[in-house]
Every structure is written in structure tokens, then in C-alpha cells.
């Protein structure tokens, strides 16, 4: 058990002051829940799924319950899970009625020949698999609805947040606009690495928009031989930069997780513009949380210590 | 104009003998149509779109007219386009009623803040943009329908074709089963590189399945500073291997297009299993067509010479 590590994030963006405490508490709870699984001998896949379920069920985060709304006022969620042991992955895009999209991603990984199912086709599999189906409206919080009302006034929901090469602009999103993708990476007692990422996307997105989250190499990547990554930030930039896979390649070529993450984020900014964040664990159990946005809530557990932070450079340390 | 290069592919798989002539003729026609655009001063983006339109409209290929059918007997197409000049990309997944999915991908790239739209949301944008909308049934050929009837008898449409680590099995798909994604890469007179990929997917796929084609880094990648790539083959493997991006990184680290493509295909086979093919042009105008499947139809034009082939090692040369 001493080699186990688990890290979660609650999204990289300019988290407003009034959501700092809730975000930090949420990632710490999720990390503890995933860790508990690892300590009971569960696989990295089950641990990341459990932690992401906790984040999906927490209305503070934009994933599952708490998802933001599309331009037409609907919920559409994306999720990915990847098992670095067998190099298997499963993902879903633009699903509305599934309580925990990461559970459906795992079902796609384990029970289909495919890696990505979207829309009604994905929802049909959720029903066949007996996953929990809910009214999409039940996933919307009053804050999500209010954010959508505010956002309807803006034409360019995405570009006004943190895309583009203008990093200063990226640091000044409209107040109260959430887009906090969640994710987890874990290394289990057997040396297996897995990652999972889940999101409600970005307020005011076009119906049918699929972001980086469910795309292997963009929203996450896991390979037992190297390490695992989950990303967050400006989805379109992360997609074009293949952010998660870039970080894995950096590690494969000898970089530490911290250097690999920083270099991947810098490369994304210079090549396609856009800020973001990532959490990484390598096969030796070294971990990092890196972000180029103003804030990112994260929490990691290793050797009975809980680490967490939300501001650049901040690392709180507590015994479990 | 002397630096221009254009290459197309019609899919990497065990193309049956009775489709060899049609496939070769189809890629040669498409290459000539894209080339004509380049010679008239069009951008690489317009050239790849034109060539892919030709392949989409040709019933020999599994893209646009000629798309294969899902498990429930419907057409669902994916497409990607990427502009290596501005590092922009656009893609669509699981669209049914759009005559030329690559045109919609270009619309997404140029007129939305997003990189991937799927299903009904994507189709809505096609209608708003005034693109040609057709009855999905009109995209189905008698051969496509027949293939689907045959295929309904098989449970595992994907794994029986050419996935898995068993390369011998990969070489022996069921006779007559087509899954020939199409694609194009071009370098224009201004040194700009673009790629495009389009597909009807794989016979018997689950509704909502999105393959590698519309995923940046999997189905294609273009970066003026390095080169451009379009891929084809076992979608789920290509997705997990980030095949196109891997080839680009190999070139960035100094490899020729041929070495970069071969190494990317070998890496995919050893890491996640699965065969495929890719066409590549680097920023110096060197090009290659590589495949680990039994056959891949391809055609390239450079300096008034048309090159083409379909068997391993085969290169036909003709003056334009």
C-alpha cells in the first residue's frame, strides 16, 4: 500500500473568492474517498471512478450535479476513464440524463468495442447497463441556472473566458462563471495507473459541443509504463495541444511530473493559446498539480499525508 | 507553386480485389481535384476540403455517399479538418444528414468557438450554415446495405476486423467488409499545411460511436512548423495511440515523414494493438504513405508527377 498515490482536481479557472472554501473541501473529500478504495485494495480504475463520483455529486463542481448549461439551457456532459494497465479507455460526450457520466465511461471501456459514445446512443447504453438515469433538470443548481441567465447576454461564451493568446484576458473571466471540470489520477498497490475526467462543459456552449474532457490524450491519459494525467482548462486549446498526451511524452523522455506538466502548459500557450491545469502521477509515484490559470483546486494523498491547494504555489499539508 | 504537395488516402484495410481498381482511380481523381485548387492559388485548407469532397462523393469509399451502417442500420459520419497555419481545427461526430461532413467540420472551425460538435447539435449548425442536407438513406449504397445485412450476423464488428494484437487476424477481415476512412494532407504555395479526414465509420458500430477520425491528434494533425498527417485504420487503437500527433512529434524530433510514420504505426501496434495507415507531408514538402494493413489506396502529386499505390511498396508514377 505504501506505493499508492491519488490526486484529484476540481477545475482550473479563476475560481471566485466565495467558492474557494467549497472547492477545497470538495477536492479533499473526493481524494479521501478515492484513497479509501485504494487502502481497501481496489484498483486504480475503481479509485479514480470513486473520487470522480464524489466530485460529480458535489454541486460545487461543474460535473454531474452542478453541470452548467448549453446555449439552449440544457445539460450536456462529457467524461473519460483510462486504465493504464491494459491501455483501455472509455468515454462519453454530450450526455444529458446520466447521473454519473464517468460510470458510463467505464461501462463503454469494459463492455463495448468502442472508446467514445455520444448523445442518445451513449444514453441508450446507460439505460441498457442499468446505470442511474435522472431528469437532466435535476442536475442543474440554482447557481447554474443563474449563470446561464447572465451568460445569455454574452455572444462568445468560450472566448471571453480564458482562451486565446491573451493570458491577461484569460485571468479575468466574468465573475461567477464556472467551468470547473473535475478529474483524478491514481497509482494502486499493484503499480497500475488510471485517470478519469468529467465535466458539464462551459456555460453557453453550443448544443452538441464536445470539449477536451472525453478525448484520449487531451482530457486525460494513462500508461502504466509512464504515468497518468487528467487535465482541465480551455477545452478547445487542450484538444489542439493534446495536452495530456504531451505531458506523458515529456515524462517518457525523462522529465519529472512537475517539469512535464509545466512544459506541456507552456507549449499549449505558445502553440495554440489558452490556459489550463493538470494533475500527474508517474510510475514511481511522484506527483504534481500544475496550472496556468489563476486558481485550481486540487488534493493529493500519499503515505498518510493529505496535500491540497488552490492558489499558485500553495501546498497545505495534513495528516490523514 | 513548385513547393506544393498534396496526398490523399482512401482507407487502410484489406481492400478486396474487386475494389482495387475503383479505389485507385478514386484516390487519383481526388488528388487531381485537390491539386487543381493548389495550382489556382487556393489555400491548403481549401485543397484538402476539395479532395475529401471528391472522396466523400465517390461511393467506393466509406465517407459521405457510401457510408457504412451502424448496428441499427443508420448512417453516422465523422470528419475533421485542421489548418496548420493558425492551429485551428473543426470536427463533427455522428452526423447523419450532411452530404459532405468535412464541409461542416470547416464551418465549425471557422464559425464557432468549438472544435467538435456531435449529433443533432452539429446537424443544426449545418442547417443554419446552409450546407447541403440530404436524407441519410441517400448516402447508403446497395453494397453498404448488403454489408450491413451480412454483418448483423457478427457480434463483434470491430474486433473481427483488424484490432487487437493479433496482426495475422487483422489481415483477414471478413470479405467485402469496408471501412475505408478517407483523408488528405496538403502543403500550399505559401507554405501552409492542412489536413482533413472523413468517414462513415465501421459497419455494425453502436449508434453514437465516434471513432478516431474527428479527434485532433488521432484522425489528423497539422502544424505549419512541422507537418501534416491524416490517419486511417482501427479507430479505437488510433485514438488510444494518438497516432497523428505521435507522427508529428516524431518529425519534430528530426525524423523523416517515412520514419515518423513507420515508428508511429509500430508504436501503436506494440502499445495498444491495431493496424492502420497514415499519409504525411512535412514542412519541407517531403511526403509518405505508410500502412501496416494489407492495403491502402493513396495518391500524391508533387512537381507535376502523380504517384499512387495500393499494395505495400507499390509506387506507380505518371506525369500529370
Amino acid at each position: 500500500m505504501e506505493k499508492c498515490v491519488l490526486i484529484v482536481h476540481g477545475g482550473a479557472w479563476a475560481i471566485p473568492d466565495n467558492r474557494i472554501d467549497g472547492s477545497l473541501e470538495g477536492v479533499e473529500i473526493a481524494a479521501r474517498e478515492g484513497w479509501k478504495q485504494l487502502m481497501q485494495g481496489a484498483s486504480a480504475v475503481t479509485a479514480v471512478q470513486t473520487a470522480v463520483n464524489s466530485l460529480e455529486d458535489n454541486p460545487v463542481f461543474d460535473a454531474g450535479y452542478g453541470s452548467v448549461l448549453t446555449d439552449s439551457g440544457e445539460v450536456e456532459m462529457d467524461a473519460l476513464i483510462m486504465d493504464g494497465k491494459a491501455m483501455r479507455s472509455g468515454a462519453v460526450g454530450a450526455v444529458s440524463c446520466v447521473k454519473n457520466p464517468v460510470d458510463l465511461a467505464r461501462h463503454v471501456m469494459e463492455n463495448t468495442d468502442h472508446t467514445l459514445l455520444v448523445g442518445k446512443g451513449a444514453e441508450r447504453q446507460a439505460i441498457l447497463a442499468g446505470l442511474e438515469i435522472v431528469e437532466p433538470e435535476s442536475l442543474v443548481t440554482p447557481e447554474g441556472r443563474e449563470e446561464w441567465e447572465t451568460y445569455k447576454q454574452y455572444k462568445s461564451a468560450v472566448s471571453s473566458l480564458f482562451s486565446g493568446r491573451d493570458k491577461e484576458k484569460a485571468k479575468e473571466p466574468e465573475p461567477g462563471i464556472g467551468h470547473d471540470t473535475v478529474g483524478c489520477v491514481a497509482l494502486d498497490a499493484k503499480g497500475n495507473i488510471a485517470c478519469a475526467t468529467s465535466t458539464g462543459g462551459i456555460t453557453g456552449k453550443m448544443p452538441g459541443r464536445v470539449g477536451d474532457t472525453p478525448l484520449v490524450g487531451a482530457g486525460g491519459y494513462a500508461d502504466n509504463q509512464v504515468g497518468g494525467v487528467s487535465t482541465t482548462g480551455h477545452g478547445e486549446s487542450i484538444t489542439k495541444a493534446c495536452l495530456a498526451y504531451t505531458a506523458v511524452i515529456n515524462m517518457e523522455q525523462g522529465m519529472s511530473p512537475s517539469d512535464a506538466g509545466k512544459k506541456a502548459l507552456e507549449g499549449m500557450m505558445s502553440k495554440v493559446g489558452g490556459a489550463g491545469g493538470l494533475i500527474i502521477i508517474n510510475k514511481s509515484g511522484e506527483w504534481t498539480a500544475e496550472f496556468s490559470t489563476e486558481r485550481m483546486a486540487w488534493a493529493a494523498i500519499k503515505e498518510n499525508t493529505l496535500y491540497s491547494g488552490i492558489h499558485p504555489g500553495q501546498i497545505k499539508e495534513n495528516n490523514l
Side-chain angles (χ1 to χ4, degrees), chain A:
Chain A
M1 298 293 175
E2 62 275 15
K3 71 184 297 181
C4 293
V5 193
L6 182 137
I7 180 165
V8 306
H9 72 74
W13 58 298
I15 301 165
D17 291 346
N18 64 4
R19 285 172 76 162
I20 287 180
D21 290 347
S23 297
L24 259 179
E25 189 189 30
V27 291
E28 290 177 357
I29 290 170
R32 285 176 191 271
E33 292 190 16
W35 184 255
K36 199 169 144 192
Q37 290 289 331
L38 287 182
M39 290 304 102
Q40 289 171 352
S43 67
V45 169
T46 294
V48 298
Q49 180 186 9
T50 301
V52 168
N53 282 165
S54 171
L55 296 158
E56 285 175 335
D57 292 342
N58 187 333
V60 168
F61 302 108
D62 172 20
Y65 177 44
S67 287
V68 300
L69 301 175
T70 66
D71 183 57
S72 55
E74 283 162 14
V75 168
E76 287 189 3
M77 301 169 289
D78 304 336
L80 166 72
I81 195 164
M82 187 162 183
D83 170 8
K85 180 185 176 189
M87 297 300 286
R88 297 183 306 171
S89 69
V92 293
V95 296
S96 295
C97 63
V98 182
K99 179 171 169 277
N100 291 104
V102 78
D103 293 358
L104 182 54
R106 184 168 181 175
H107 175 74
V108 170
M109 175 171 82
E110 296 183 339
N111 300 292
T112 79
D113 288 324
H114 303 316
T115 50
L116 174 57
L117 295 180
V118 301
K120 296 293 167 209
E123 291 171 358
R124 182 170 155 246
Q125 294 304 319
I127 294 163
L128 291 173
L131 298 183
E132 190 170 353
I133 305 300
V134 296
E135 281 298 322
E137 188 59 34
S138 73
L139 298 170
V140 183
T141 58
E143 292 75 18
R145 177 68 57 191
E146 196 181 318
E147 198 171 289
W148 179 73
E149 301 285 357
T150 308
Y151 224 80
K152 281 298 283 178
Q153 301 163 25
Y154 294 89
K155 282 282 178 202
S156 53
V158 173
S159 59
S160 71
L161 288 175
F162 49 0
S163 82
R165 289 166 198 261
D166 181 353
K167 202 173 169 184
E168 290 314 305
K169 187 179 167 196
K171 287 184 176 173
E172 292 167 17
E174 300 304 322
I177 301 303
H179 32 76
D180 30 350
T181 300
V182 303
C184 181
V185 183
L187 170 65
D188 68 23
K190 292 182 179 160
N192 296 317
I193 296 171
C195 70
T197 312
S198 183
T199 189
I202 191 156
T203 299
K205 66 183 179 182
M206 283 181 175
R209 178 261 195 183
V210 172
D212 61 304
T213 295
L215 311 184
V216 173
Y221 204 82
D223 179 349
N224 272 11
Q225 306 306 314
V226 188
V229 180
S230 170
T231 69
T232 164
H234 185 245
E236 280 68 11
S237 300
I238 291 173
T239 298
K240 290 185 289 186
C242 298
L243 185 66
Y245 189 61
T246 300
V248 166
I249 286 178
N250 290 345
M251 288 194 283
E252 200 166 25
Q253 298 182 341
M255 283 186 208
S256 68
S258 175
D259 288 348
K262 284 191 179 87
K263 196 185 167 207
L265 287 171
E266 286 162 13
M268 177 167 80
M269 180 57 80
S270 68
K271 217 170 191 175
V272 302
L278 23 67
I279 51 173
I280 308 179
I281 298 174
N282 72 8
K283 65 177 176 179
S284 310
E286 296 173 294
W287 61 271
T288 193
E290 304 290 338
F291 50 104
S292 54
T293 48
E294 198 173 335
R295 289 168 179 161
M296 178 176 84
W298 61 270
I301 303 181
K302 184 177 179 179
E303 291 165 358
N304 275 320
T305 304
L306 171 70
Y307 307 84
S308 62
I310 193 163
H311 306 290
Q314 180 195 22
I315 303 186
K316 297 198 305 168
E317 244 183 271
N318 285 294
N319 288 330
L320 262 197

